[in-house]
Amino acid sequence: MNLTKNNQIPERKKIIASVKRVVIKIGTNVLTAESHQLDTSLMEHLCQQVCWLMAKKKQVIVVTSAAIGAGMQILGWKKRPVKMEKLQAAASVGQSRLMRFYERIFREQGYNVGQVLLTKDIFESKSRKANALAAIETLLSYKIVPIINENDVVTTDEIRFGDNDFLSAMVFELLNADMLILLTDVDGLFDADPKNNGKVNLLSEVNSISDHHIAIAKRGTPSSLGRGGMISKILAIKKVLELGGVGLIANGKRPWVIRDIFLGKKIGTIFIPKRIKWTGKKGF
Ligand code: GLU
């Protein structure tokens, strides 16, 4: 594939330019600093880029993590609890803190936000799914930014997603979105686990997820604050590809990551399906 002097892939740029509805999931490790505090200046930077996208007439749905992380910070808990009721308490405390920041940041840019807390069982019931869809579509029609998280406070083992990667793939499907961006604390999918290997190469474009990709992703370890890890991201993207959508995994701490993705710069790992559902083609 030919690169231009700006390090842009023309095909990637065209595909991304044609995206109308994008789900952006921001992981706990992106939203929290080393000290495990919420990184509000990074949140601000990311939200400003979401507004930039909205000004370009893209519809953006944010899936946020970090409720439990924020709650742990407020409660002074250094280690992620194991007991469900303590996780629920942390999520309850943290979710409102998280929303307070989103609400303030977006309001300063002239946008309102709507909190949407979902559980897995909603996706298993036709009528509840239809209700959730109608509510989110209405938010979007008023240019209100839906800020989605799992409703950790009321989830039990049986009805929990467990990680927001899978939740964001379900939201992608529900909303018939075009693209899912997973922002995490690594640059994308590597040919080996970057946390344990010195020399690894970033895979910049993947067209289908093979057993090899799954094996690489499985070697990545989930962090102490978030859940998931690379394997849940790859499985979420696999679902997106099966639906004909475009996926992208990138480092959410990289300055201007969202803006640069939409400028077509070669960032992270892009996953392009064999047939892009809104063009019927692979590429253009
Ligand atoms: N729903 C969890 C939270 O807000 C995040 C799950 C995840 O880390 O993917 O803390």
Side-chain angles (χ1 to χ4, degrees), residues 7 15 35 59-60 106 171 210 221 230 280 283:
N7 215 17
I15 293 170
S35 56
Q59 290 184 322
V60 188
F106 277 106
V171 168
S210 65
T221 39
M230 189 49 82

Side-chain angles (χ1 to χ4, degrees), residues 29-30 42 46 181-188 190 248-258 261 267-269:
N29 295 334
V30 176
L42 186 70
L46 291 168
I181 298 179
L182 299 175
L183 295 179
T184 181
D185 61 346
V186 291
D187 291 339
F190 287 84
L248 201 143
I249 301 176
N251 193 331
K253 293 202 186 265
R254 182 192 185 283
W256 299 109
V257 60
I258 298 173
I261 288 170
I267 289 172
T269 305

Side-chain angles (χ1 to χ4, degrees), residues 25-29 64-70 80 87 90-91 95 98 148-152 160 162-167 223 225-229 232-233:
K25 182 251 172 177
I26 316 176
T28 300
N29 295 334
T64 186
S65 295
I68 295 174
R80 186 184 166 96
L87 286 168
Q95 178 67 26
L98 203 54
I148 301 180
N149 195 359
E150 180 163 12
N151 193 349
D152 294 307
R160 74 188 300 123
D163 66 68
N164 278 0
D165 299 317
F166 192 53
L167 168 65
S223 77
L225 283 182
R227 279 176 255 173
S232 70
K233 288 172 186 50

Side-chain angles (χ1 to χ4, degrees), residues 29-39 185 224-225 253:
N29 295 334
V30 176
L31 293 168
T32 50
E34 304 249 300
S35 56
H36 295 176
Q37 306 266 336
L38 274 182
D39 186 345
D185 61 346
S224 57
L225 283 182
K253 293 202 186 265

